[in-house]
Amino acid sequence: MPNFNTDVPSEEAGRCFECCIKCLGGIPYASLIATILLYAGVALFCGCGHEALSGTVNILQTYFEMARTAGDTLDVFTMIDIFKYVIYGIAAAFFVYGILLMVEGFFTTGAIKDLYGDFKITACGRCVSAWFIMLTYLFMLAWLGVTAFTSLPVYMYFNLWTICRNTTLVEGANLCLDLRQFGIVTIGEEKKICTVSENFLRMCESTELNMTFHLFIVALAGAGAAVIAMVHYLMVLSANWAYVKDACRMQKYEDIKSKEEQELHDIHSTRSKERLNAYT
């Protein structure tokens, strides 16, 4: 009968298992969780915010009968277009920034330490961690501002949704919404819609208002998730900073200890030579 040797496959499987465990141990899970949260928050903010702005344009043109101003006049439609381009920039910038933070997380893990040694981690990783801590703190403040700014359209649409709801509960109520009180149009323009008008009833019955309102809410939640991700990144980067700082101190201690041992060895060798010369 043929004799099958199973020792070699078992050894290869053991080495493969050890390699997988080593790779999994080198993954920066804290940075990975923060990156996933950041990408989810930015995706919700950018995607839902973009669609909500498009819905706002349709609502203003359809129900408030507003039109784009010819020329280079800075009107509400031009501002919305600018916000859309800002959203494009935010999506691209934080996609790259999340990758950079993941690379920084891999750089300060034990796997890189075993591969390159302590010196390269402390010499380069210390500066990288400090730089990213400063950038992440600034981005956290920026996202706080974005969150506060996103809450404004949520408040506006909540007022509009409340007026629509009150018209169904209170018969004969004449409620009006003037865009001038929100700064959307100038004081000289009167863009007001009341509950007795046909446009108001069509707007309240349409799904476009409800969808735009909820899109802005999801965009606000995405901005809040991005703030939480920035805070998480700050904790991770602070821990990495402490790690590389301790590694630097340990490296200096090892250098001093090695230098002292070398000096003691040289002194011992010199004395041994002197004794041998005196004996001869």
Side-chain angles (χ1 to χ4, degrees), residues 238-258:
S238 299
N240 291 342
W241 167 262
Y243 167 75
V244 295
K245 188 176 182 180
D246 292 340
C248 182
R249 292 178 178 176
M250 184 61 67
Q251 181 66 34
K252 290 181 180 179
Y253 172 75
E254 293 293 337
D255 293 340
I256 295 173
K257 184 179 178 180
S258 177

Side-chain angles (χ1 to χ4, degrees), residues 124-250:
C124 190
R126 195 173 182 182
C127 297
V128 171
S129 296
W131 176 252
F132 276 119
I133 287 174
M134 182 187 69
L135 283 180
T136 305
Y137 182 76
L138 294 177
F139 285 145
M140 184 194 69
L141 296 179
W143 273 110
L144 284 174
V146 170
T147 304
F149 183 79
T150 310
S151 63
L152 296 178
V154 173
Y155 173 73
M156 294 167 57
Y157 273 96
F158 177 76
N159 288 337
L160 185 57
W161 177 79
T162 303
I163 294 176
C164 289
R165 183 171 176 270
N166 290 336
T167 54
T168 59
L169 296 178
V170 181
E171 296 182 359
N174 186 14
L175 303 176
C176 296
L177 180 69
D178 195 344
L179 295 182
R180 291 178 294 183
Q181 62 183 343
F182 298 108
I184 296 179
V185 296
T186 59
I187 300 297
E189 301 180 50
E190 184 178 354
K191 294 297 180 180
K192 182 170 62 173
I193 186 171
C194 298
T195 56
V196 295
S197 63
E198 182 181 356
N199 286 338
F200 187 87
L201 296 177
R202 288 193 299 111
M203 181 181 63
C204 292
E205 293 175 357
S206 66
T207 59
E208 192 173 18
L209 175 64
N210 192 37
M211 179 63 69
T212 304
F213 177 43
H214 286 86
L215 284 174
F216 272 119
I217 292 177
V218 176
L220 178 62
V227 173
I228 296 175
M230 291 292 103
V231 175
H232 195 166
Y233 269 128
L234 281 177
M235 293 188 293
V236 173
L237 293 171
S238 299
N240 291 342
W241 167 262
Y243 167 75
V244 295
K245 188 176 182 180
D246 292 340
C248 182
R249 292 178 178 176
M250 184 61 67

Side-chain angles (χ1 to χ4, degrees), residues 2-15:
N3 185 16
F4 296 99
N5 187 7
T6 59
D7 293 336
V8 176
S10 62
E11 292 178 359
E12 292 180 355
R15 287 195 295 267

